[in-house]
C-alpha cells in the first residue's frame, strides 16, 4: 500500500475557497487502477505566518499505481486549471509519499 500526500499552506481567509475547489472538482481518481481512498485534511492555523495547513491524502494499492496516475491523462486533466482559482497559497504544495510497513 502507498500513501501520497500534498501539504498546502493556504493564506488565512482563503480556506473556504480552497475547500470549494476540492469539493467541486471533477475527480476521476476512482477510475484509476489501485486507487483506494481520498481525504482532504484541514490542519492547524499558523497565526504568526498567516496560513492554515491542509493536506490531500490518497491511498493506493501500490507505489506503481500511484506513479501510473501521475503519468495519466486523468492526472493532467485534474491539474489543468491549477493556480487559476481565487485561493492564495504560501509557497508550492509539498509532496510526501509513504510505503505502508506491513505487519506493523
Amino acid at each position: 500500500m502507498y500513501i501520497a500526500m500534498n501539504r498546502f499552506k493556504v493564506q488565512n481567509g482563503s480556506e473556504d475557497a480552497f475547500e470549494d475547489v476540492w469539493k467541486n472538482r471533477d475527480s476521476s481518481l476512482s477510475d484509476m487502477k489501485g486507487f483506494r481512498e481520498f481525504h482532504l485534511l484541514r490542519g492547524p492555523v499558523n497565526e504568526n505566518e498567516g496560513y492554515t495547513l491542509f493536506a490531500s491524502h490518497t491511498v493506493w494499492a501500490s507505489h506503481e499505481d500511484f506513479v501510473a496516475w501521475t503519468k495519466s491523462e486523468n492526472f493532467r486533466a485534474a491539474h489543468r486549471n491549477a493556480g487559476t482559482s481565487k485561493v492564495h497559497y504560501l509557497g508550492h504544495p509539498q509532496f510526501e509519499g509513504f510505503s505502508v510497513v506491513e505487519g506493523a
Side-chain angles (χ1 to χ4, degrees):
M1 190 180 327
Y2 187 75
I3 298 173
M5 297 177 66
N6 276 299
R7 293 155 83 58
F8 303 87
K9 292 180 179 179
V10 176
Q11 186 175 25
N12 289 349
S14 287
E15 296 90 346
D16 289 342
F18 180 77
E19 290 180 10
D20 286 344
V21 167
W22 289 90
K23 290 175 184 177
N24 299 311
R25 76 193 191 290
D26 184 19
S27 176
S28 60
L29 281 172
S30 61
D31 298 338
M32 298 301 300
K33 177 183 174 287
F35 171 75
R36 298 291 185 252
E37 61 186 81
F38 170 85
H39 299 281
L40 181 63
L41 310 173
R42 186 177 185 145
V45 175
N46 184 321
E47 291 293 345
N48 292 335
E49 296 183 31
Y51 69 85
T52 299
L53 184 64
F54 283 87
S56 63
H57 178 274
T58 54
V59 179
W60 297 87
S62 69
H63 180 254
E64 293 76 19
D65 290 332
F66 168 73
V67 170
W69 152 246
T70 66
K71 295 179 179 180
S72 73
E73 179 56 36
N74 291 12
F75 179 87
R76 285 187 288 283
H79 294 86
R80 191 164 283 130
N81 296 320
T84 62
S85 72
K86 295 180 181 178
V87 178
H88 297 285
Y89 301 95
L90 293 157
H92 295 287
Q94 299 297 309
F95 175 78
E96 298 174 318
F98 301 89
S99 294
V100 172
V101 178
E102 300 296 335

